[in-house]
Amino acid sequence: LALLNKADWDTESVYDFSFSWYFTCIICSDINSTLDGRVVLPDRHAVETAMIRAAELEDHYDFNIRPDGTDTAALLNEMGVEWSNARIWDGVVDSSTDESLDAELGQAFDDIEAEFAGTYSDGSYFDAIGAATYQTDSNEEIYVYAIGLVR
């Protein structure tokens, strides 16, 4: 949990880096509690990239194409994320009611943990994660984006 103090706590808004850093740290902590000696850590560049992609998904929900027509690799390169051994997880959570928000965000959290606690396609393990959420102005949906890295 010492990693939680590594964020520059800006405000309590879900759109700030500190919120996404905290979100990523909690995911890593939960994953690490199930691992035997292996550790998954938050990655600042991956968190920043996830924040951008989560927001972009509202304008253009596509796994690999950004709103400007470029692919996700262009953003990963721009942000300095080594993505040759990366996996992406994205989803949309219904936040129109407290019940749907709790159920769907909890499921998204569990899915991200399951995705990155396992192995990459070549059998190597994920060792870094960046994750973020973006809530629409209507408060009806939350876009969730996560990047798992093998370095």
Side-chain angles (χ1 to χ4, degrees):
L1 290 177
L3 290 172
L4 294 176
N5 297 322
K6 298 288 185 188
D8 296 324
W9 294 99
D10 27 36
T11 69
E12 295 182 14
S13 169
V14 296
Y15 306 111
D16 293 325
F17 174 78
S18 56
F19 182 87
S20 296
W21 182 260
Y22 179 79
F23 181 62
T24 302
C25 285
I26 295 302
I27 291 169
C28 289
S29 178
D30 282 2
I31 290 172
N32 291 339
S33 70
T34 68
L35 301 179
D36 187 25
R38 193 166 55 82
V39 177
V40 177
L41 297 173
D43 179 271
R44 180 178 190 91
H45 297 291
V47 170
E48 292 169 339
T49 303
M51 290 176 67
I52 292 168
R53 283 298 291 144
E56 288 179 346
L57 291 174
E58 179 183 21
D59 293 329
H60 186 79
Y61 191 81
D62 186 294
F63 177 75
N64 195 39
I65 305 299
R66 300 176 65 205
D68 66 3
T70 61
D71 65 12
T72 303
L75 177 63
L76 294 168
N77 289 333
E78 177 185 324
M79 298 299 291
V81 176
E82 172 51 50
W83 57 272
S84 59
N85 291 328
R87 186 175 296 155
I88 306 296
W89 188 97
D90 65 15
V92 183
V93 170
D94 176 4
S95 60
S96 59
T97 67
D98 288 344
E99 294 79 22
S100 64
L101 174 62
D102 288 346
E104 291 190 28
L105 194 55
Q107 185 61 55
F109 196 85
D110 291 346
D111 290 348
I112 292 168
E113 288 181 3
E115 185 75 25
F116 301 127
T119 60
Y120 187 68
S121 58
D122 68 358
S124 55
Y125 294 100
F126 293 98
D127 57 8
I129 295 174
T133 62
Y134 180 83
Q135 187 163 23
T136 61
D137 290 338
S138 68
N139 293 326
E140 296 289 320
E141 297 174 317
I142 297 175
Y143 291 88
V144 183
Y145 196 86
I147 306 166
L149 304 170
V150 176
R151 296 186 271 182

